[in-house]
């Protein structure tokens, strides 16, 4: 008996005990069977008021887990289970059995968990099955933090996990106290699109998330879009970390649209996500009109070029709580890095900018399309690249009704059929055709829509291509341009920004994705823009965006050098105007 007491005293002397927590963290214990776990189980059993148990950094076999589980059956006050990295060297087939034993004990005890950490256990989808019943049970109705980083769950595990969370929410809601998970961590799990989409359904239902960390999961734009939609329904979200997934333009636009609705986000980590320049510009629009308490923005390693990075910098410097912006590993070049540092330092914000030591250098012009061949054909459906907030979840029936001229559910009529003369002008623009339209020129405004910036930019360039100094033609062109741009720039900052960035792509001032085309420009198109930037509908923010790209692309628009200089001068004046 004296020996037992001596052994227990020795064990307790090495074990952190206090505040209801019993910790074996990092002890390197190799618990293969019940006998090897006997001492630890006894300590757990004799510990009164146990609220937290730390087992990370040890290795627990099936029989040892059963012995520990037996001790946990009486621990109804247990709330926090820190059980990461506790199956090192174990067969994958052992882990689900061990987890089931521990989970069953928690359920038998009637424990009400607030934290469950099983990170770094590499248990795969079968391991998720091992905790499935626990997650569905009343023991997890009170769960606030779930950490499953680096568990190798895969698509199958992601789907099982999502279904369990949905069931937990359903059962807890039926009892009047719905699951309110706040922190979800599941990086390095190979969730891919299907796993992410399944979890997005659970996140949307929960609506309580404050932190979401899902880096390095092989998620591309389809999964990112699903997650973006879910995040909109979590108004208390503070931290969003999707590092090392693949957004591309479509995912970036979807995420920008979601972030418009969130007012409490403090940290955004989209590093190594292939956000690219168009995505970065879209995110700056959201920064300008929302995200009032943002502190950190990571857009590193995203193939962002100099002008887009400068637009990001200009915008983050206006955020009152901003502490850090990371644009390292992009495609700025030496001069671009220096320009970015100078811009930040001129505003006394140099300390805010992270290191640029891993910059990839300026992209080669002849490689514009080489890197886009494997982007899942994401530019094949240009109209899907962007949609406005009100129609983001429009179902297929609505689309079909609109296409057939039938009023949709929101009672907004579909676009009327365009007159043949208008279609003739758009197919082969000429000043003569534009003048012949007369009052029908208003139909050109109906050809553009905020939900299709690609078509809108194309229509604008076609109208402006017939500009001339002949008075009647000049008046007709500029009046039509004003009408079209008033409509296109009257929406949200994000909608206007998407249109302008698309226009920049067509003008060859911004590198687009995949099959993005450049339109051969004529001086009249730039002179129309010179007129537009002097109008009230063209804001200072719009002018700053265009001027930044125009000024950083000195070789662009050589064939229209005189008109280019006039446009640049008008933009500069607009940017410097006092309001």
């Amino acid at each position: 008996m004296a020996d037992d007491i001596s052994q227990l005293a020795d064990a307790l002397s090495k074990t952190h005990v206090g505040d209801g927590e019993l910790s074996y963290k990092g002890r390197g214990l190799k618990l293969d069977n019940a006998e090897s776990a006997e001492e630890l189980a006894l300590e757990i059993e004799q510990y009164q008021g146990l609220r937290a148990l730390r087992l990370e950094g040890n290795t627990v076999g099936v029989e040892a887990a059963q012995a520990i589980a037996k001790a946990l059956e009486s621990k109804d006050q247990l709330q926090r289970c820190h059980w990461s990295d506790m199956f090192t060297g174990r067969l994958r087939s052992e882990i689900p059995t061990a987890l089931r034993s521990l989970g069953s004990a928690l359920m038998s005890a009637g424990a009400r968990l607030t934290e469950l950490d099983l990170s770094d256990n590499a248990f795969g989808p079968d391991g998720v099955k091992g905790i499935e019943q626990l997650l569905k049970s009343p023991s997890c109705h009170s769960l606030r933090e779930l950490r499953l980083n680096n568990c190798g769950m895969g698509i199958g595990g992601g789907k099982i996990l999502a279904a369990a969370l949905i069931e937990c929410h359903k059962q807890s809601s039926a009892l009047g106290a719905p699951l309110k998970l706040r922190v979800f961590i599941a990086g390095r799990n190979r969730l891919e699109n299907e796993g992410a989409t399944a979890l997005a359904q659970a996140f949307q239902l929960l609506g309580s998330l404050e932190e979401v960390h899902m880096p390095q999961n092989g998620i591309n734009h389809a999964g990112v879009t699903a997650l973006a939609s879910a995040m909109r329904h979590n108004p208390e979200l503070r931290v969003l970390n999707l590092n090392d997934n693949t957004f591309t333009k479509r995912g970036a636009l979807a995420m920008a649209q979601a972030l418009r609705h969130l007012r409490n986000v403090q940290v955004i980590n989209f590093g190594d996500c292939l956000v690219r320049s168009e995505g970065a510009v879209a995110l700056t629009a959201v920064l300008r009109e929302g995200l009032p308490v943002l502190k950190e923005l990571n857009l590193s390693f995203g193939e962002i070029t100099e002008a887009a990075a400068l637009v990001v910098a200009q915008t983050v410097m206006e955020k009152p709580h901003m502490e850090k912006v990371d644009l390292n590993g992009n495609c700025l070049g030496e001069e671009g890095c220096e320009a970015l540092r100078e811009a930040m330092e001129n505003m006394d914000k140099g300390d805010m900018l992270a290191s640029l030591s891993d910059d990839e250098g300026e992209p080669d012009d002849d490689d514009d399309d080489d890197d886009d061949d494997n982007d899942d054909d994401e530019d094949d459906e240009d109209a899907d690249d962007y949609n406005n907030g009100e129609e983001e979840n429009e179902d297929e029936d609505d689309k079909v009704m609109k296409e057939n001229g039938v009023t949709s559910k929101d009672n907004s009529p579909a676009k009327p059929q365009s007159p043949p003369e208008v279609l003739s002008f758009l197919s082969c623009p000429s000043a003569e055709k534009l003048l012949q339209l007369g009052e029908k020129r208003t139909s050109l405004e109906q050809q553009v829509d905020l939900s299709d910036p690609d078509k809108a930019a194309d229509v604008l360039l076609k109208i402006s291509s017939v500009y001339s100094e002949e008075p009647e033609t000049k008046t007709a062109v500029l009046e039509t341009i004003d009408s079209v741009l008033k409509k296109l720039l009257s929406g949200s900052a994000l909608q206007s920004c998407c249109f302008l960035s698309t226009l920049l792509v067509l003008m060859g001032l911004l590198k687009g994705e995949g099959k993005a085309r450049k339109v051969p420009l004529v001086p009249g198109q730039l002179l129309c823009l010179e007129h537009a930037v002097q109008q009230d509908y063209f804001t200072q923010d719009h002018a700053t965006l265009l001027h930044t790209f125009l000024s950083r692309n000195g070789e662009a628009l050589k064939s229209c050098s005189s008109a280019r200089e006039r446009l640049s001068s008008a933009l500069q004046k607009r940017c410097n105007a006092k309001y």
Side-chain angles (χ1 to χ4, degrees), residues 545-559:
L545 175 62
L546 261 62
H547 185 260
T548 301
F549 276 90
L550 190 63
S551 64
R552 307 315 297 187
N553 288 274
E555 294 300 308
L557 312 179
K558 278 188 190 178
S559 62

Side-chain angles (χ1 to χ4, degrees), residues 45-97:
E45 188 175 338
Q46 293 184 349
Y47 191 99
Q48 299 300 310
L50 182 65
R51 287 182 170 80
L53 178 61
R54 309 193 76 104
L55 294 175
E56 61 264 57
N58 300 289
T59 178
V60 180
V62 172
E63 291 184 14
Q66 291 170 344
I68 294 170
K70 184 70 175 174
L72 288 173
E73 288 179 353
S74 62
K75 302 303 173 184
D76 60 341
Q77 295 182 54
L78 184 61
Q79 297 176 336
R80 303 185 300 279
C81 296
H82 302 281
W83 294 351
S84 63
D85 188 23
M86 61 179 243
F87 295 113
T88 302
R90 300 295 168 184
L91 296 175
R92 290 244 324 233
S93 58
E94 293 182 79
I95 300 175
T97 304

Side-chain angles (χ1 to χ4, degrees), residues 161-175:
L161 175 61
L165 291 174
I166 290 171
E167 181 63 22
C168 182
H169 184 270
K170 177 182 177 182
Q171 296 292 341
S172 58
S173 296
L175 296 174

